[in-house]
Amino acid sequence: MPPAAVIPEALRSSTERAIEACPGLDQLPEAVRAALPRVWACSEFVARACRQDAALFATPAWLAALMQAGSPATRVRAALAGVGDETALLHVLRTQRRREMLRIAWRDLAGWADLEETLHDLSDLADACTDGALAALSRWHAERHGSARNAHGVPQSLVVLGMGKLGARELNFSSDIDLIFCYPENGRSDGERPLDNEEYFTRLGQRLIRTLDQVNEDGFVFRVDMRLRPFGEAGPLAMSFSALETYYQNHGRDWERYALVKARPVAGDVRQGEALLETLRPFVYRRYLDFNAFEALREMKHLIDQDVVRRGLEDNIKLGRGGIREIEFIGQVFQLIRGGREAPLRARGLLAVLHHLGAHGYLKEHEAQELAGAYVFLRRVENRLQMVRDQQTHDLPHDELERARLALSMGFETWPAFATALERERRRVQQLFDAVFAAPRAVRQTAPQESPFAAVWRDVSSSPEAAAVLENRGFRTPTETLGLLVQLREGPLLRALNERARHRMDELVPRLLDVAATSEAPDQTLQRLLRVVEAIARRSAYLALLVERPTVLEHLARLAAHSAWLADMVARTPLLLDELIDPRVFSEFPSRESLHAELENTLRGVDADDLEAQMDALRQFQQTAVVRVAAADIAGDVPLMKVSDFLTWIAEQVIGEAFRIAWRHLTARHGEPHCRDARGERPARFAVVAYGKLGGIELGYGSDLDLVFLHDSTGEAQATRGERALDNHEFFTRLAQRIINILSVPTTSGMLYQVDTRLRPSGSAGLMVSSLDAFTRYQHEHAWTWEHQALLRARPVAGDADLGAAFDALRREILGRPRDAEKLRHDVADMRARMLAEHAHADDGFDLKLDAGGLTDIEFLVQYLVLHHAAAHPALLDWTDNIRNLDGLMEAGILDAERGGFLADTYRAFRRIVHRAALEGRTPRIAPAAGEPGRSRVRALWQEYIGTPAAAGKGLV
């Protein structure tokens, strides 16, 4: 509380009279006595309760509770322990409620409790009263009707969900409590007067409401509001879990999602209640970013504003402009939009949500702090308004005495000083609310009308005028483009949409035309954008996203203009639109560390036993990460090799997690593999080795993964240690197959990678998984030269680190052997000749990857030189990528700087074109002249160093 203010004269005199009329107060502890005048001046309820229950001040336990923080729940439960009938229950509940409310108000007004303590104590009091009353009523109900049971005889209990501020543990001082009653399953009670479960729990719920809500000579406990239940006042008072689920699935409205954000089991079978809320979570929190929430909450706020004006509630600190509800809406719109993907946003308390929004950039940090400060201020005002007489009010007073009382309770000397501070807080809330809710609407209201494309879309069949508009804005094939628009407007897709979705399409299509017109190829960009829109049209949340957030549409258009591949990826996986919200998407690459953190965040909350959910989460992570890389790549500020690094890191994260998932699932069923060899009994280890582009740290968009699987199980007793034991070879084969499935099987979220395992020993005819010993023998005794070429680009990427290190040592030993130069040249040239013979060459183009003089020639040339000289220069085996291999060849003097530099530059240049072709969704073929002079020079160097098998010795260093 702010520093104590002087008690105004009018309040002081009445307070002093009240104190004088209450003897014995001079015996109170000093702290209580010092706070008493101020507390009584601020709250007639406290003063009256103290006079009515003066014996409290002679009760050491109550005084101790008054002077220290602590939940009221223990005291309420203790008071209810001996209650024997409903009359006693009503009396004890009301007495405890009055005493605890007195204690809570005193601590708050004296400045001994912060807002969090006050709200939590009020919520805990409501929880304890509700649960304690229900426990007693349930016993008496069962004595008359028996225990409710399901069809299998399992006992059933009522579950009470607390909604709104009670659910969030943010209950205000004189609040109603919003409740929903439910029970797990239908059935019947087993007493002499049996009831079916719905009737059983309806009657029990009615008794609970009367117990809490009924006013008698002792007052009431809490006013109970049941209108948030399914179908409102017309709906059944208690429903089974399955009926609730069916209701929300078939009839649930936007405001009910908003209400369930704060839902919490507060009484009855809390464990079952939490399970129910977990079942309902997909209704509340969508797995995609749901920008429908903006429109839904905006409409709710519009209705509230109309009611405020109609009822003259401008001075209402809850519903008026800049009030508590606007802060709640700001927090909850982000919860509804992003809560399905970010667990911290599923917090029930608003302050925790605001902190997350500021910490993660959804609001500026100072804005989140200002909103949190305003929320604390306004909630204090709300409580202190209600503490005056224990009345449910949110209206600022007009009476001078009441104004003085409120200013005093808030720590201000005068009403004008308090009013100035209040107006400052409300004005800032109003500004931030408008920034979050109103600005996007203003953009979408004006943009279509200002654009000539609005008329094109509205009257799309008037082709001459519409085509002229398109042509004037840079569309090169206006007639064909107009045909696409006609097909969309008059086709079955739009006819199938509801009115809201069609309205959004009417807003969106003119903006599509606008953003496409700003690209270098408007017709092509629009075609790609329309593919995306057609894919998402039936999912209103994504239409809402593009309408509500114009920057997302601009980012999407930028991707589509540069990449058909990315546009098609977004069309297949609309979740990727979520990534285009952040303006940094075109300027920031993920780091290795951020990728790891992002993967952990994506998997957080996913059931470890739900393989399909884990596979979907992996796909979500991989796709969003690739889109971020591609977006920054399109911006043009990142070197090609860095792009490959990032794509490689993404794949490594995915493979590592696929291994961990597969290992957990198999070991849970079969136990961990062990073996017994010369080292004794030990765990058997497993590793995943990457070859090809992934092994060479040169992954591109859409690249396959070349993988080889190894284990080190040897000796005897090679089996898992579980109830369903497997031979180790069978275990590791299943493990490899499970990893491949996780990576390559299509799910509703798409596919991660194509996996190729043909580089394993003996290729497709070989075992799926090799032991390290068998792999070693194969490499020494049976491997072809081309397999050693492939081994140059191999490295472990997942599994046991020690086994990975053993593979690295073996690789260096195999590749570092002295080689017969003639045989090596012959084998390399022969393999390249075979590849060229199998490749269908086209005279009208140059295939940068496969044709002579292209990337494969450079790779083979580098591999030949490394294999030939690795025995004398072991450092050549330090890296698996071509560029650093070329650097090593130059450092060793095997290639001079001119030749090495030319090969490196040409390799990068050709790869860059291949890279862009993949983004654009086309083959890496260019006009023959466009590949010169690099292509001819590569062929010349090939002849110089390798030539044909008969050209031994030519050009060797």
Side-chain angles (χ1 to χ4, degrees), residues 557-882:
R558 190 172 178 184
L559 289 183
H562 289 84
S563 176
W565 181 78
L566 280 175
D568 289 342
M569 179 186 285
V570 174
R572 289 192 305 272
T573 313
L575 272 170
L576 299 175
L577 286 170
D578 304 348
E579 300 306 310
L580 303 182
I581 295 172
D582 193 336
R584 296 169 298 181
V585 69
F586 286 100
S587 59
E588 291 188 8
F589 260 44
S591 65
R592 207 167 199 160
E593 293 72 22
S594 71
L595 284 171
H596 181 71
E598 178 67 22
L599 179 56
E600 286 189 334
N601 185 58
T602 302
L603 290 168
R604 189 175 296 123
V606 177
D607 187 347
D609 295 324
D610 190 339
L611 180 59
E612 184 175 353
Q614 291 171 315
M615 290 170 66
D616 281 339
L618 273 181
R619 281 150 179 76
Q620 175 187 323
F621 160 77
Q622 188 257 9
Q623 290 161 352
T624 55
V626 168
V627 164
R628 282 194 225 119
V629 170
D633 183 15
I634 284 170
D637 298 329
V638 184
L640 169 68
M641 305 311 292
K642 281 304 228 184
V643 173
S644 288
D645 284 349
F646 292 122
L647 293 173
T648 298
W649 295 345
I650 294 168
E652 289 172 355
Q653 293 287 339
V654 169
I655 295 167
E657 191 59 39
F659 162 72
R660 287 185 286 273
I661 291 170
W663 181 269
R664 282 197 305 268
H665 279 264
L666 282 173
T667 56
R669 185 177 180 86
H670 303 291
E672 295 193 2
H674 284 69
C675 63
R676 187 183 303 117
D677 57 18
R679 291 174 285 177
E681 186 168 327
R682 61 177 179 82
R685 301 171 299 185
F686 180 88
V688 182
V689 177
Y691 278 65
K693 289 285 187 286
L694 177 61
I697 320 176
E698 295 176 350
L699 212 61
Y701 298 110
S703 291
D704 295 350
L705 303 183
D706 294 294
L707 300 180
V708 167
F709 304 102
L710 299 175
H711 67 81
D712 71 345
S713 180
T714 61
E716 301 174 353
Q718 297 185 45
T720 62
R721 300 293 191 265
E723 292 183 4
R724 301 180 180 181
L726 286 177
D727 172 84
N728 282 357
H729 177 73
E730 177 66 18
F731 175 87
F732 288 128
T733 299
R734 292 189 186 185
L735 179 62
Q737 290 169 336
R738 181 68 63 90
I739 292 170
I740 293 169
N741 287 342
I742 291 171
L743 294 173
S744 61
V745 169
T747 72
T748 55
S749 298
M751 185 178 70
L752 285 167
Y753 299 98
Q754 291 279 4
V755 176
D756 191 336
T757 62
R758 290 175 297 176
L759 290 177
R760 66 186 187 267
S762 301
S764 299
L767 297 174
M768 178 63 69
V769 185
S770 296
S771 71
L772 185 64
D773 287 349
F775 184 84
T776 301
R777 287 193 301 272
Y778 180 86
Q779 292 294 335
H780 277 294
E781 300 170 11
H782 305 291
W784 297 81
T785 299
W786 68 264
E787 290 178 290
H788 288 173
Q789 289 178 248
L791 191 62
L792 279 170
R793 293 164 66 78
R795 61 190 181 88
V797 292
D800 184 81
D802 290 337
L803 182 54
F807 169 82
D808 279 334
L810 171 64
R811 171 184 171 274
R812 295 186 72 94
E813 188 269 321
I814 294 291
L815 299 178
R817 292 184 305 172
R819 295 179 183 269
D820 182 286
E822 174 65 21
K823 183 178 185 306
L824 178 63
R825 279 194 303 278
H826 180 282
D827 289 348
V828 171
D830 184 61
M831 177 53 66
R832 183 68 182 114
R834 291 185 187 187
M835 293 175 65
L836 287 170
E838 293 173 0
H839 167 55
H841 174 72
D843 293 333
D844 61 342
F846 171 41
D847 188 317
L848 287 153
K849 293 174 68 175
L850 300 177
D851 281 349
L855 289 167
T856 304
D857 274 3
I858 299 175
E859 291 170 352
F860 270 48
L861 179 56
V862 171
Q863 290 161 12
Y864 161 73
L865 292 172
V866 170
L867 287 173
H868 183 51
H869 296 282
H873 301 278
L876 292 174
L877 301 175
D878 289 349
W879 295 100
T880 59
D881 63 289
N882 281 291

Side-chain angles (χ1 to χ4, degrees), residues 297-597:
L297 290 178
R298 194 184 286 128
E299 290 172 357
M300 288 176 62
K301 185 61 170 65
H302 178 64
L303 294 174
I304 292 171
D305 289 347
Q306 286 181 322
D307 192 51
V308 166
V309 173
R310 181 176 59 80
R311 296 166 57 194
L313 300 178
E314 287 80 1
D315 282 338
N316 187 294
I317 61 162
K318 177 181 179 181
L319 302 179
R321 292 294 277 132
I324 295 167
R325 184 55 54 83
E326 289 192 353
I327 305 176
E328 292 174 336
F329 273 24
I330 291 172
Q332 287 165 343
V333 73
F334 284 103
Q335 288 184 280
L336 292 176
I337 290 170
R338 296 181 173 275
R341 304 209 13 213
E342 296 184 43
L345 285 176
R346 297 196 286 271
R348 296 177 176 113
L350 183 59
L351 290 176
V353 171
L354 292 176
H355 174 75
H356 181 83
L357 295 177
H360 290 77
Y362 300 123
L363 295 173
K364 294 177 182 176
E365 195 161 356
H366 73 87
E367 292 174 339
Q369 291 171 352
E370 289 170 356
L371 283 173
Y375 182 73
V376 170
F377 185 90
L378 291 170
R379 291 302 307 273
R380 282 177 173 156
V381 174
E382 174 187 45
N383 276 334
R384 286 163 187 174
L385 279 170
Q386 296 178 357
M387 286 173 182
V388 175
R389 296 179 184 86
D390 190 16
Q391 293 177 342
Q392 189 178 32
T393 179
H394 294 88
D395 295 328
L396 295 172
H398 297 282
D399 178 81
E400 290 300 322
L401 182 63
E402 296 306 315
R403 286 185 165 187
R405 193 193 307 273
L406 179 58
L408 171 65
S409 71
M410 291 297 294
F412 291 88
E413 297 284 347
T414 65
W415 172 261
F418 164 72
T420 298
L422 176 63
E423 178 59 24
R424 181 175 61 249
E425 299 291 352
R426 293 182 69 176
R427 187 185 310 115
R428 187 59 182 143
V429 171
Q430 183 176 339
Q431 291 169 347
L432 290 171
F433 179 87
D434 289 344
V436 171
F437 280 91
R441 187 182 184 90
V443 170
R444 67 189 179 98
Q445 283 179 335
T446 58
Q449 284 79 3
E450 293 173 353
S451 169
F453 292 129
V456 170
W457 174 243
R458 186 172 54 249
D459 304 313
V460 71
S461 59
S462 304
S463 54
E465 295 82 359
V469 172
L470 293 174
E471 189 170 10
N472 289 338
R473 288 294 302 274
F475 286 84
R476 298 181 180 88
T477 57
T479 303
E480 290 80 354
T481 297
L482 197 59
L484 291 175
L485 296 175
V486 171
Q487 183 179 347
L488 175 61
R489 187 167 187 99
E490 298 178 359
L493 178 61
L494 247 63
R495 290 198 298 270
L497 300 181
N498 60 34
E499 183 178 352
R500 173 187 283 187
R502 285 197 298 271
H503 175 68
R504 283 181 175 150
M505 288 290 284
D506 288 342
E507 293 183 85
L508 178 58
V509 174
R511 287 195 52 77
L512 290 178
L513 290 159
D514 264 323
V515 295
T518 63
S519 68
E520 294 182 2
D523 307 85
Q524 177 178 270
T525 300
L526 181 66
Q527 289 176 23
R528 296 171 181 175
L529 288 172
L530 288 176
R531 288 204 297 273
V532 174
V533 170
E534 288 169 356
I536 68 172
R538 291 184 177 85
R539 302 172 72 170
S540 61
Y542 289 120
L543 290 181
L545 169 59
L546 294 179
V547 169
E548 291 284 353
R549 286 293 181 264
T551 53
V552 176
L553 180 56
E554 292 166 5
H555 291 164
L556 175 62
R558 190 172 178 184
L559 289 183
H562 289 84
S563 176
W565 181 78
L566 280 175
D568 289 342
M569 179 186 285
V570 174
R572 289 192 305 272
T573 313
L575 272 170
L576 299 175
L577 286 170
D578 304 348
E579 300 306 310
L580 303 182
I581 295 172
D582 193 336
R584 296 169 298 181
V585 69
F586 286 100
S587 59
E588 291 188 8
F589 260 44
S591 65
R592 207 167 199 160
E593 293 72 22
S594 71
L595 284 171
H596 181 71

